[in-house]
Amino acid sequence: MSTGTMKKSHSQWSSRMGFMLAAAGSAVGLGNIWKFPYMAGEMGGSAFVLTYLLFMFMIGLPILVLEWLIGRRGQKNPIHTMEDVAVSEGRSKSWRWVGIIGVLGSFLILSFYSVIGGWATDYIALAAKGSFEGVTGEKTDQIFTDFLSNVNSLLTWHTVFMFATAFIVALGVGAGLERGCKIMMPGLGILLLVLVGYAAYASGPYFWVACKFLFSPNWLALNSTAILAALGHAFFSLSLGMGIMMAYGSYLGQDVNLLSTARTVVILDVVVAVLSGLAIFPLVFANGLQAGAGPGLIFVTLPIAFGNMTGGLVLGILFFIFLTFAALTSSISLLEPTVELLEERTPMGRKTATVVSSIIIWALGIACILSFNQWADVKLFDKNIFDLLDYLTSKIMLPVTGLGTIIFGAWMMNQKHIRNELNLSSSWFGIWSILTRFVIPVAVVTILIYGFL
Ligand code: PFF
């Protein structure tokens, strides 16, 4: 295997637990707390939820395992990992494009992810100032509209959020990413349980209405839009197709069991999404609000509930701290592939690599911020900059990289080695092969085509 111009000895996670929390930290984020509930709300609740659960295990889990497995083989940044592993399997070096698109994707996503992370951070301050006390729907709408037109405040919070991300990443894999997640993830778990507990207590019978909304099968509501959205969200939610899990795998020792760790990460990710729904929907229903409010569900609808219930002030603060933490454990993972690449392939050390990439991403974030106000009319393909970046990354780059990874892992790599590495019995390996060789590629191509429609 070629070693290229790799400079330094490679970092490693200090324990399986640390790795698992970091991977779960990447997976659990705005996707679980902001996106999942509003998608479920818009797409008829349980039909979407149950389909999403199925896809997480059938499609997300195998790709997650393959990304880690390839990353662990390569022990480098995603681009050179793909190149080296391809060469060692006797394949073309061009497979590095899977890594290139992945790293570029995570880089671009972070530019707008950090802006939304900034919203979450600012909403902690708004909640603490009592801005939501006694508010009506019109008022929270007004707060949000004013907020989006205030460039200075958006910029300040985007900067704060990006700074926090860069600070953790600069500390390194063990002292930064791993330690950050070891502190934040348990905190997140506790906050989430408190939020669900309170929602159950404060909303009385509406808690069951929310449970029914999320879980009682309603297959009639299942249409192609919901199926495809659930599939796309399974990818986004597990941070797949962005080079991230491959980069995380590159810091992994041989002793870690990929399948059982992936199972735990998928379960944690799903549990956080579902519990977030159980923290949000009871309040939405108890206050007679709209479940299908769309992306504004958390920033416009939920504050109405916080502003009009006993203990809502504290609950609002806790909720937005929870959201900010979750966003932060994901944003650090979005920065990692670029930093790993620069650290390995340029004379820059980790700190300089982090500063340089963060400044460029931060600057791109400013373009996203302006697309909410002064540049709202700057459009390409009928989309403003924020929408364009979101579309390009989640609808195109993510499925393309995901498809590349799965085809590479299922068709280009030696399957016997994979079977040994995953320690699969022959019947489980049969299922694995059918999923990775046929079911998943067809599913991913479908998302890709759908993205263009
Ligand atoms: N998985 C994260 C979430 O659900 O919010 C977001 C995310 C992180 C998406 C990293 C993509 C990614 F590469």
Side-chain angles (χ1 to χ4, degrees), residues 23-36 52 102 105-107 109-110 113 233-245 269 326-327 329-335 337 398:
S26 170
V28 169
L30 294 167
N32 303 61
I33 307 159
W34 172 60
K35 250 182 151 178
F36 171 81
Y52 163 75
S106 58
F107 181 90
I109 288 188
L110 184 53
Y113 202 83
H233 192 61
F235 262 86
F236 186 86
S237 179
L238 283 172
S239 309
L240 299 174
M242 309 281 169
I244 295 184
M245 291 303 181
D269 196 40
T329 55
S330 298
S331 64
I332 55 181
S333 74
L334 282 160
L335 187 52
L398 182 155

mmCIF file of all heavy atoms in Angstrom, residues 23-36 52 102 105-107 109-110 113 233-245 269 326-327 329-335 337 398, ligand 1:
data_model
loop_
_atom_site.group_PDB
_atom_site.id
_atom_site.type_symbol
_atom_site.label_atom_id
_atom_site.label_comp_id
_atom_site.label_asym_id
_atom_site.label_seq_id
_atom_site.Cartn_x
_atom_site.Cartn_y
_atom_site.Cartn_z
ATOM 1 N N ALA A 23 -18.746 9.081 17.427
ATOM 2 C CA ALA A 23 -19.546 8.764 16.240
ATOM 3 C C ALA A 23 -21.020 9.076 16.503
ATOM 4 O O ALA A 23 -21.716 9.647 15.646
ATOM 5 C CB ALA A 23 -19.372 7.297 15.866
ATOM 6 N N ALA A 24 -21.494 8.736 17.696
ATOM 7 C CA ALA A 24 -22.889 9.048 18.024
ATOM 8 C C ALA A 24 -23.078 10.563 18.077
ATOM 9 O O ALA A 24 -24.108 11.092 17.659
ATOM 10 C CB ALA A 24 -23.279 8.413 19.353
ATOM 11 N N GLY A 25 -22.046 11.265 18.564
ATOM 12 C CA GLY A 25 -22.112 12.730 18.622
ATOM 13 C C GLY A 25 -22.248 13.316 17.228
ATOM 14 O O GLY A 25 -22.993 14.267 17.005
ATOM 15 N N SER A 26 -21.539 12.729 16.278
ATOM 16 C CA SER A 26 -21.651 13.214 14.905
ATOM 17 C C SER A 26 -23.056 12.945 14.367
ATOM 18 O O SER A 26 -23.677 13.795 13.740
ATOM 19 C CB SER A 26 -20.615 12.509 14.023
ATOM 20 O OG SER A 26 -20.862 12.808 12.681
ATOM 21 N N ALA A 27 -23.538 11.764 14.645
ATOM 22 C CA ALA A 27 -24.851 11.387 14.121
ATOM 23 C C ALA A 27 -25.980 12.204 14.752
ATOM 24 O O ALA A 27 -26.856 12.728 14.067
ATOM 25 C CB ALA A 27 -25.082 9.895 14.359
ATOM 26 N N VAL A 28 -25.928 12.339 16.068
ATOM 27 C CA VAL A 28 -26.995 13.063 16.761
ATOM 28 C C VAL A 28 -26.767 14.557 16.602
ATOM 29 O O VAL A 28 -25.734 15.068 17.011
ATOM 30 C CB VAL A 28 -26.976 12.710 18.262
ATOM 31 C CG1 VAL A 28 -27.890 13.632 19.034
ATOM 32 C CG2 VAL A 28 -27.365 11.258 18.460
ATOM 33 N N GLY A 29 -27.703 15.230 15.959
ATOM 34 C CA GLY A 29 -27.499 16.668 15.753
ATOM 35 C C GLY A 29 -28.784 17.362 15.372
ATOM 36 O O GLY A 29 -29.880 16.909 15.725
ATOM 37 N N LEU A 30 -28.638 18.456 14.634
ATOM 38 C CA LEU A 30 -29.823 19.206 14.211
ATOM 39 C C LEU A 30 -30.783 18.305 13.448
ATOM 40 O O LEU A 30 -31.986 18.499 13.473
ATOM 41 C CB LEU A 30 -29.398 20.363 13.300
ATOM 42 C CG LEU A 30 -28.562 21.453 13.982
ATOM 43 C CD1 LEU A 30 -27.924 22.378 12.950
ATOM 44 C CD2 LEU A 30 -29.424 22.260 14.940
ATOM 45 N N GLY A 31 -30.215 17.303 12.775
ATOM 46 C CA GLY A 31 -31.042 16.371 12.016
ATOM 47 C C GLY A 31 -32.046 15.658 12.911
ATOM 48 O O GLY A 31 -33.186 15.419 12.510
ATOM 49 N N ASN A 32 -31.637 15.308 14.127
ATOM 50 C CA ASN A 32 -32.540 14.573 15.017
ATOM 51 C C ASN A 32 -33.565 15.494 15.674
ATOM 52 O O ASN A 32 -34.708 15.115 15.863
ATOM 53 C CB ASN A 32 -31.769 13.913 16.162
ATOM 54 C CG ASN A 32 -30.699 12.997 15.665
ATOM 55 O OD1 ASN A 32 -29.784 13.426 14.979
ATOM 56 N ND2 ASN A 32 -30.808 11.725 15.981
ATOM 57 N N ILE A 33 -33.109 16.684 16.067
ATOM 58 C CA ILE A 33 -33.967 17.501 16.924
ATOM 59 C C ILE A 33 -34.744 18.541 16.128
ATOM 60 O O ILE A 33 -35.882 18.860 16.424
ATOM 61 C CB ILE A 33 -33.109 18.190 18.004
ATOM 62 C CG1 ILE A 33 -32.282 17.129 18.712
ATOM 63 C CG2 ILE A 33 -33.972 18.940 18.997
ATOM 64 C CD1 ILE A 33 -31.085 17.690 19.411
ATOM 65 N N TRP A 34 -34.119 19.045 15.082
ATOM 66 C CA TRP A 34 -34.780 20.089 14.290
ATOM 67 C C TRP A 34 -35.491 19.469 13.087
ATOM 68 O O TRP A 34 -36.677 19.700 12.857
ATOM 69 C CB TRP A 34 -33.727 21.119 13.879
ATOM 70 C CG TRP A 34 -34.174 22.158 12.910
ATOM 71 C CD1 TRP A 34 -35.207 23.065 13.096
ATOM 72 C CD2 TRP A 34 -33.631 22.431 11.620
ATOM 73 N NE1 TRP A 34 -35.314 23.867 11.987
ATOM 74 C CE2 TRP A 34 -34.361 23.515 11.071
ATOM 75 C CE3 TRP A 34 -32.592 21.887 10.872
ATOM 76 C CZ2 TRP A 34 -34.082 24.034 9.815
ATOM 77 C CZ3 TRP A 34 -32.315 22.432 9.627
ATOM 78 C CH2 TRP A 34 -33.050 23.479 9.103
ATOM 79 N N LYS A 35 -34.745 18.641 12.325
ATOM 80 C CA LYS A 35 -35.305 18.151 11.060
ATOM 81 C C LYS A 35 -36.296 17.002 11.228
ATOM 82 O O LYS A 35 -37.368 17.007 10.651
ATOM 83 C CB LYS A 35 -34.154 17.657 10.175
ATOM 84 C CG LYS A 35 -33.900 18.542 8.969
ATOM 85 C CD LYS A 35 -32.793 17.973 8.114
ATOM 86 C CE LYS A 35 -32.979 18.366 6.662
ATOM 87 N NZ LYS A 35 -31.874 17.866 5.826
ATOM 88 N N PHE A 36 -35.899 15.995 12.045
ATOM 89 C CA PHE A 36 -36.745 14.800 12.161
ATOM 90 C C PHE A 36 -38.180 15.136 12.615
ATOM 91 O O PHE A 36 -39.140 14.712 11.977
ATOM 92 C CB PHE A 36 -36.088 13.767 13.090
ATOM 93 C CG PHE A 36 -36.963 12.614 13.430
ATOM 94 C CD1 PHE A 36 -37.110 11.552 12.549
ATOM 95 C CD2 PHE A 36 -37.654 12.582 14.631
ATOM 96 C CE1 PHE A 36 -37.934 10.482 12.859
ATOM 97 C CE2 PHE A 36 -38.477 11.524 14.948
ATOM 98 C CZ PHE A 36 -38.619 10.461 14.063
ATOM 99 N N TYR A 52 -38.533 5.391 8.321
ATOM 100 C CA TYR A 52 -37.204 5.883 8.664
ATOM 101 C C TYR A 52 -36.458 4.850 9.529
ATOM 102 O O TYR A 52 -35.287 4.544 9.290
ATOM 103 C CB TYR A 52 -37.373 7.230 9.385
ATOM 104 C CG TYR A 52 -36.185 7.710 10.166
ATOM 105 C CD1 TYR A 52 -35.076 8.239 9.503
ATOM 106 C CD2 TYR A 52 -36.177 7.668 11.559
ATOM 107 C CE1 TYR A 52 -33.981 8.700 10.232
ATOM 108 C CE2 TYR A 52 -35.094 8.123 12.280
ATOM 109 C CZ TYR A 52 -33.998 8.637 11.616
ATOM 110 O OH TYR A 52 -32.927 9.087 12.335
ATOM 111 N N GLY A 102 -16.694 13.632 -0.855
ATOM 112 C CA GLY A 102 -17.074 13.552 0.557
ATOM 113 C C GLY A 102 -16.481 14.693 1.373
ATOM 114 O O GLY A 102 -17.197 15.388 2.111
ATOM 115 N N GLY A 105 -18.045 17.892 0.478
ATOM 116 C CA GLY A 105 -19.413 17.946 1.000
ATOM 117 C C GLY A 105 -19.439 18.352 2.463
ATOM 118 O O GLY A 105 -20.202 19.235 2.864
ATOM 119 N N SER A 106 -18.574 17.738 3.286
ATOM 120 C CA SER A 106 -18.597 18.080 4.713
ATOM 121 C C SER A 106 -18.180 19.530 4.907
ATOM 122 O O SER A 106 -18.737 20.248 5.743
ATOM 123 C CB SER A 106 -17.696 17.138 5.516
ATOM 124 O OG SER A 106 -16.379 17.190 5.042
ATOM 125 N N PHE A 107 -17.238 19.979 4.118
ATOM 126 C CA PHE A 107 -16.768 21.355 4.179
ATOM 127 C C PHE A 107 -17.921 22.330 3.876
ATOM 128 O O PHE A 107 -18.171 23.294 4.608
ATOM 129 C CB PHE A 107 -15.653 21.475 3.120
ATOM 130 C CG PHE A 107 -14.993 22.792 3.004
ATOM 131 C CD1 PHE A 107 -13.879 23.085 3.766
ATOM 132 C CD2 PHE A 107 -15.456 23.741 2.107
ATOM 133 C CE1 PHE A 107 -13.244 24.307 3.644
ATOM 134 C CE2 PHE A 107 -14.831 24.957 1.979
ATOM 135 C CZ PHE A 107 -13.718 25.241 2.748
ATOM 136 N N ILE A 109 -21.211 21.671 3.914
ATOM 137 C CA ILE A 109 -22.325 21.558 4.867
ATOM 138 C C ILE A 109 -22.032 22.386 6.110
ATOM 139 O O ILE A 109 -22.891 23.078 6.639
ATOM 140 C CB ILE A 109 -22.548 20.102 5.296
ATOM 141 C CG1 ILE A 109 -23.147 19.319 4.158
ATOM 142 C CG2 ILE A 109 -23.499 20.018 6.493
ATOM 143 C CD1 ILE A 109 -23.574 17.933 4.528
ATOM 144 N N LEU A 110 -20.774 22.329 6.552
ATOM 145 C CA LEU A 110 -20.463 23.045 7.797
ATOM 146 C C LEU A 110 -20.738 24.538 7.664
ATOM 147 O O LEU A 110 -21.155 25.173 8.627
ATOM 148 C CB LEU A 110 -19.002 22.784 8.221
ATOM 149 C CG LEU A 110 -18.600 23.409 9.552
ATOM 150 C CD1 LEU A 110 -19.552 23.029 10.675
ATOM 151 C CD2 LEU A 110 -17.176 23.001 9.949
ATOM 152 N N TYR A 113 -24.385 24.688 8.353
ATOM 153 C CA TYR A 113 -24.723 24.027 9.632
ATOM 154 C C TYR A 113 -24.349 24.954 10.789
ATOM 155 O O TYR A 113 -25.064 25.066 11.772
ATOM 156 C CB TYR A 113 -23.938 22.726 9.723
ATOM 157 C CG TYR A 113 -24.518 21.687 10.657
ATOM 158 C CD1 TYR A 113 -25.527 20.834 10.240
ATOM 159 C CD2 TYR A 113 -24.031 21.533 11.950
ATOM 160 C CE1 TYR A 113 -26.039 19.858 11.079
ATOM 161 C CE2 TYR A 113 -24.533 20.554 12.801
ATOM 162 C CZ TYR A 113 -25.540 19.723 12.352
ATOM 163 O OH TYR A 113 -26.037 18.767 13.181
ATOM 164 N N HIS A 233 -33.113 11.091 4.811
ATOM 165 C CA HIS A 233 -32.842 11.492 6.185
ATOM 166 C C HIS A 233 -32.026 10.443 6.936
ATOM 167 O O HIS A 233 -31.242 10.781 7.818
ATOM 168 C CB HIS A 233 -34.141 11.809 6.919
ATOM 169 C CG HIS A 233 -33.877 12.489 8.222
ATOM 170 N ND1 HIS A 233 -33.221 13.704 8.287
ATOM 171 C CD2 HIS A 233 -34.095 12.112 9.501
ATOM 172 C CE1 HIS A 233 -33.073 14.039 9.560
ATOM 173 N NE2 HIS A 233 -33.590 13.093 10.320
ATOM 174 N N ALA A 234 -32.195 9.175 6.577
ATOM 175 C CA ALA A 234 -31.387 8.130 7.229
ATOM 176 C C ALA A 234 -29.899 8.403 6.944
ATOM 177 O O ALA A 234 -29.050 8.278 7.822
ATOM 178 C CB ALA A 234 -31.795 6.755 6.719
ATOM 179 N N PHE A 235 -29.596 8.824 5.734
ATOM 180 C CA PHE A 235 -28.213 9.174 5.382
ATOM 181 C C PHE A 235 -27.712 10.366 6.180
ATOM 182 O O PHE A 235 -26.649 10.335 6.782
ATOM 183 C CB PHE A 235 -28.162 9.583 3.897
ATOM 184 C CG PHE A 235 -27.710 8.493 3.015
ATOM 185 C CD1 PHE A 235 -28.602 7.577 2.515
ATOM 186 C CD2 PHE A 235 -26.384 8.391 2.669
ATOM 187 C CE1 PHE A 235 -28.191 6.568 1.686
ATOM 188 C CE2 PHE A 235 -25.957 7.381 1.841
ATOM 189 C CZ PHE A 235 -26.863 6.467 1.351
ATOM 190 N N PHE A 236 -28.507 11.429 6.117
ATOM 191 C CA PHE A 236 -28.086 12.673 6.770
ATOM 192 C C PHE A 236 -27.910 12.441 8.259
ATOM 193 O O PHE A 236 -26.941 12.866 8.873
ATOM 194 C CB PHE A 236 -29.157 13.751 6.531
ATOM 195 C CG PHE A 236 -28.762 15.106 7.045
ATOM 196 C CD1 PHE A 236 -28.002 15.966 6.259
ATOM 197 C CD2 PHE A 236 -29.141 15.525 8.319
ATOM 198 C CE1 PHE A 236 -27.620 17.216 6.729
ATOM 199 C CE2 PHE A 236 -28.766 16.765 8.794
ATOM 200 C CZ PHE A 236 -28.009 17.613 7.997
ATOM 201 N N SER A 237 -28.854 11.710 8.807
ATOM 202 C CA SER A 237 -28.874 11.525 10.239
ATOM 203 C C SER A 237 -27.671 10.727 10.745
ATOM 204 O O SER A 237 -27.202 10.944 11.858
ATOM 205 C CB SER A 237 -30.186 10.800 10.571
ATOM 206 O OG SER A 237 -30.280 10.569 11.917
ATOM 207 N N LEU A 238 -27.169 9.804 9.924
ATOM 208 C CA LEU A 238 -26.008 9.023 10.367
ATOM 209 C C LEU A 238 -24.692 9.621 9.871
ATOM 210 O O LEU A 238 -23.637 9.010 9.979
ATOM 211 C CB LEU A 238 -26.129 7.572 9.888
ATOM 212 C CG LEU A 238 -27.095 6.704 10.677
ATOM 213 C CD1 LEU A 238 -27.280 5.348 10.012
ATOM 214 C CD2 LEU A 238 -26.603 6.501 12.113
ATOM 215 N N SER A 239 -24.752 10.825 9.335
ATOM 216 C CA SER A 239 -23.562 11.529 8.816
ATOM 217 C C SER A 239 -22.846 10.695 7.752
ATOM 218 O O SER A 239 -21.618 10.658 7.708
ATOM 219 C CB SER A 239 -22.554 11.841 9.927
ATOM 220 O OG SER A 239 -23.159 12.470 11.005
ATOM 221 N N LEU A 240 -23.634 10.034 6.892
ATOM 222 C CA LEU A 240 -23.005 9.181 5.876
ATOM 223 C C LEU A 240 -22.734 9.954 4.591
ATOM 224 O O LEU A 240 -23.355 10.974 4.326
ATOM 225 C CB LEU A 240 -23.937 8.004 5.551
ATOM 226 C CG LEU A 240 -24.248 7.101 6.731
ATOM 227 C CD1 LEU A 240 -25.287 6.054 6.348
ATOM 228 C CD2 LEU A 240 -22.980 6.429 7.240
ATOM 229 N N GLY A 241 -21.798 9.460 3.818
ATOM 230 C CA GLY A 241 -21.541 10.046 2.511
ATOM 231 C C GLY A 241 -20.824 11.382 2.544
ATOM 232 O O GLY A 241 -20.880 12.132 1.579
ATOM 233 N N MET A 242 -20.174 11.706 3.645
ATOM 234 C CA MET A 242 -19.479 12.990 3.739
ATOM 235 C C MET A 242 -18.019 12.795 4.091
ATOM 236 O O MET A 242 -17.355 13.725 4.532
ATOM 237 C CB MET A 242 -20.062 13.849 4.865
ATOM 238 C CG MET A 242 -21.508 14.009 4.826
ATOM 239 S SD MET A 242 -21.897 15.236 3.602
ATOM 240 C CE MET A 242 -23.633 14.980 3.532
ATOM 241 N N GLY A 243 -17.551 11.580 4.049
ATOM 242 C CA GLY A 243 -16.166 11.338 4.440
ATOM 243 C C GLY A 243 -15.978 11.333 5.953
ATOM 244 O O GLY A 243 -14.897 11.014 6.451
ATOM 245 N N ILE A 244 -17.045 11.673 6.692
ATOM 246 C CA ILE A 244 -16.873 11.822 8.137
ATOM 247 C C ILE A 244 -16.625 10.489 8.829
ATOM 248 O O ILE A 244 -15.658 10.322 9.566
ATOM 249 C CB ILE A 244 -18.111 12.477 8.752
ATOM 250 C CG1 ILE A 244 -18.189 13.875 8.195
ATOM 251 C CG2 ILE A 244 -18.062 12.467 10.262
ATOM 252 C CD1 ILE A 244 -19.252 14.695 8.743
ATOM 253 N N MET A 245 -17.506 9.539 8.563
ATOM 254 C CA MET A 245 -17.358 8.258 9.243
ATOM 255 C C MET A 245 -16.089 7.545 8.754
ATOM 256 O O MET A 245 -15.469 6.792 9.491
ATOM 257 C CB MET A 245 -18.611 7.409 9.070
ATOM 258 C CG MET A 245 -19.803 7.982 9.826
ATOM 259 S SD MET A 245 -19.435 8.182 11.614
ATOM 260 C CE MET A 245 -20.993 8.824 12.246
ATOM 261 N N ASP A 269 -28.924 7.020 17.810
ATOM 262 C CA ASP A 269 -29.387 8.071 16.908
ATOM 263 C C ASP A 269 -30.912 8.058 16.779
ATOM 264 O O ASP A 269 -31.576 9.088 16.841
ATOM 265 C CB ASP A 269 -28.709 7.852 15.539
ATOM 266 C CG ASP A 269 -28.814 9.076 14.649
ATOM 267 O OD1 ASP A 269 -28.675 10.199 15.177
ATOM 268 O OD2 ASP A 269 -29.026 8.923 13.441
ATOM 269 N N ALA A 326 -26.002 19.439 20.729
ATOM 270 C CA ALA A 326 -26.143 18.401 19.703
ATOM 271 C C ALA A 326 -25.530 18.887 18.393
ATOM 272 O O ALA A 326 -24.859 18.135 17.687
ATOM 273 C CB ALA A 326 -27.616 18.061 19.505
ATOM 274 N N ALA A 327 -25.743 20.167 18.083
ATOM 275 C CA ALA A 327 -25.194 20.714 16.842
ATOM 276 C C ALA A 327 -23.666 20.740 16.907
ATOM 277 O O ALA A 327 -22.980 20.459 15.928
ATOM 278 C CB ALA A 327 -25.741 22.114 16.597
ATOM 279 N N THR A 329 -21.568 18.748 18.644
ATOM 280 C CA THR A 329 -20.901 17.446 18.511
ATOM 281 C C THR A 329 -20.944 16.964 17.054
ATOM 282 O O THR A 329 -20.179 16.088 16.664
ATOM 283 C CB THR A 329 -21.541 16.360 19.422
ATOM 284 O OG1 THR A 329 -22.931 16.295 19.142
ATOM 285 C CG2 THR A 329 -21.313 16.639 20.882
ATOM 286 N N SER A 330 -21.847 17.532 16.240
ATOM 287 C CA SER A 330 -21.857 17.191 14.813
ATOM 288 C C SER A 330 -20.938 18.114 14.026
ATOM 289 O O SER A 330 -20.273 17.674 13.087
ATOM 290 C CB SER A 330 -23.270 17.321 14.231
ATOM 291 O OG SER A 330 -24.123 16.424 14.861
ATOM 292 N N SER A 331 -20.917 19.401 14.394
ATOM 293 C CA SER A 331 -20.109 20.332 13.591
ATOM 294 C C SER A 331 -18.625 19.992 13.711
ATOM 295 O O SER A 331 -17.882 20.135 12.745
ATOM 296 C CB SER A 331 -20.380 21.778 13.994
ATOM 297 O OG SER A 331 -19.984 21.985 15.315
ATOM 298 N N ILE A 332 -18.195 19.510 14.872
ATOM 299 C CA ILE A 332 -16.773 19.137 14.965
ATOM 300 C C ILE A 332 -16.459 17.987 14.011
ATOM 301 O O ILE A 332 -15.382 17.930 13.436
ATOM 302 C CB ILE A 332 -16.324 18.807 16.424
ATOM 303 C CG1 ILE A 332 -17.190 17.733 17.058
ATOM 304 C CG2 ILE A 332 -16.323 20.045 17.289
ATOM 305 C CD1 ILE A 332 -16.803 17.399 18.514
ATOM 306 N N SER A 333 -17.434 17.112 13.814
ATOM 307 C CA SER A 333 -17.167 15.994 12.896
ATOM 308 C C SER A 333 -17.145 16.481 11.454
ATOM 309 O O SER A 333 -16.480 15.905 10.604
ATOM 310 C CB SER A 333 -18.209 14.892 13.076
ATOM 311 O OG SER A 333 -19.443 15.255 12.514
ATOM 312 N N LEU A 334 -17.895 17.552 11.174
ATOM 313 C CA LEU A 334 -17.902 18.088 9.808
ATOM 314 C C LEU A 334 -16.578 18.758 9.463
ATOM 315 O O LEU A 334 -16.185 18.838 8.314
ATOM 316 C CB LEU A 334 -19.049 19.090 9.653
ATOM 317 C CG LEU A 334 -20.441 18.477 9.475
ATOM 318 C CD1 LEU A 334 -21.532 19.468 9.819
ATOM 319 C CD2 LEU A 334 -20.635 17.984 8.054
ATOM 320 N N LEU A 335 -15.901 19.276 10.482
ATOM 321 C CA LEU A 335 -14.624 19.941 10.223
ATOM 322 C C LEU A 335 -13.473 18.937 10.106
ATOM 323 O O LEU A 335 -12.473 19.190 9.436
ATOM 324 C CB LEU A 335 -14.364 20.944 11.376
ATOM 325 C CG LEU A 335 -13.170 21.879 11.269
ATOM 326 C CD1 LEU A 335 -13.174 22.636 9.945
ATOM 327 C CD2 LEU A 335 -13.177 22.896 12.420
ATOM 328 N N PRO A 337 -12.723 15.956 8.529
ATOM 329 C CA PRO A 337 -12.107 15.441 7.302
ATOM 330 C C PRO A 337 -11.179 16.462 6.632
ATOM 331 O O PRO A 337 -10.085 16.109 6.185
ATOM 332 C CB PRO A 337 -13.309 15.130 6.403
ATOM 333 C CG PRO A 337 -14.434 14.913 7.340
ATOM 334 C CD PRO A 337 -14.201 15.829 8.494
ATOM 335 N N LEU A 398 -24.095 14.000 -1.282
ATOM 336 C CA LEU A 398 -24.251 12.925 -0.295
ATOM 337 C C LEU A 398 -24.643 11.583 -0.935
ATOM 338 O O LEU A 398 -23.953 10.579 -0.732
ATOM 339 C CB LEU A 398 -25.267 13.393 0.754
ATOM 340 C CG LEU A 398 -25.607 12.520 1.917
ATOM 341 C CD1 LEU A 398 -26.090 13.391 3.066
ATOM 342 C CD2 LEU A 398 -26.683 11.527 1.591
HETATM 343 N N1 PFF B 1 -25.890 13.781 11.454
HETATM 344 C C1 PFF B 1 -26.012 15.149 11.818
HETATM 345 C C2 PFF B 1 -27.404 15.474 12.188
HETATM 346 O O1 PFF B 1 -28.273 14.608 12.125
HETATM 347 O O2 PFF B 1 -27.638 16.632 12.508
HETATM 348 C C3 PFF B 1 -25.692 16.129 10.772
HETATM 349 C C4 PFF B 1 -24.603 15.799 9.912
HETATM 350 C C5 PFF B 1 -23.361 15.737 10.440
HETATM 351 C C6 PFF B 1 -24.871 15.546 8.614
HETATM 352 C C7 PFF B 1 -22.378 15.394 9.640
HETATM 353 C C8 PFF B 1 -23.903 15.225 7.795
HETATM 354 C C9 PFF B 1 -22.672 15.142 8.320
HETATM 355 F F1 PFF B 1 -21.710 14.779 7.519
#
